[in-house]
Amino acid sequence: MKSKIPTTLLIVTTLFLASCQPPKPAALSNDQVVQVVENTLQAINAGDYQSFAQDFSDEMKIAFTEQQFLSLADMLQNASGNFVSCADSQPALSNNQDYAVYRLTCTYDKEGVIVTVTFKLDGDKVEGLFFDSTNLRKVSQ
């Protein structure tokens, strides 16, 4: 029993210290992440699927079809209005498994929308894209 207490303490201490380390970024600077997000959101406003998917990984391009893009564009337009800017927002970085997760609040005509974009650690292609806002939650119920 005595040997388990130090081992448990060592494991807890190691986990605590590991969680105190700053999150690891993608291969892009914060400004580049904001630019990728803004380009993606401007493409949604324009209805331009090719520009929308230009920074996506191959897996994302396969998973996010043009029909899904059109549905997303319609839902965003109806719920939040047109995209205006992300210029006043710095992305918040966290890690989830082997991914860098960036969240930033972007301005739309009707409301602020939290955009979450994921990249592989040290990667430069979008691996995930998520939207959250009060109006989007209402229309998705």
Side-chain angles (χ1 to χ4, degrees):
M1 184 84 171
K2 286 184 179 181
S3 66
K4 287 189 178 184
I5 292 173
T7 303
T8 304
L9 182 60
L10 179 63
I11 291 170
V12 170
T13 302
T14 303
L15 290 173
F16 175 75
L17 291 174
S19 67
C20 292
Q21 296 177 5
K24 296 177 183 175
L28 304 173
S29 69
N30 282 352
D31 289 342
Q32 289 171 315
V33 169
V34 171
Q35 190 61 56
V36 166
V37 171
E38 285 189 333
N39 290 345
T40 301
L41 301 181
Q42 288 168 352
I44 292 171
N45 273 3
D48 183 352
Y49 177 75
Q50 296 305 317
S51 294
F52 169 75
Q54 74 182 357
D55 294 311
F56 285 8
S57 67
D58 291 338
E59 293 84 2
M60 273 289 286
K61 288 178 184 176
I62 291 168
F64 213 117
T65 66
E66 190 164 358
Q67 184 59 42
Q68 290 169 317
F69 164 76
L70 294 172
S71 294
L72 172 66
D74 186 52
M75 182 175 65
L76 278 168
Q77 177 64 42
N78 289 331
S80 305
N82 284 317
F83 165 69
V84 176
S85 173
C86 297
D88 295 332
S89 181
Q90 280 296 315
L93 172 62
S94 63
N95 291 140
N96 188 350
Q97 312 249 334
D98 294 329
Y99 293 91
V101 180
Y102 294 89
R103 286 181 183 80
L104 61 156
T105 302
C106 297
T107 304
Y108 278 72
D109 289 334
K110 298 178 184 177
E111 65 177 346
V113 175
I114 298 171
V115 180
T116 303
V117 61
T118 61
F119 299 86
K120 288 185 179 176
L121 293 179
D122 296 323
D124 63 353
K125 295 294 181 185
V126 174
E127 301 289 341
L129 181 65
F130 309 92
F131 298 88
D132 185 29
S133 74
T134 302
N135 291 348
L136 287 171
R137 287 184 203 158
K138 287 178 186 176
V139 299
S140 66
Q141 292 178 347

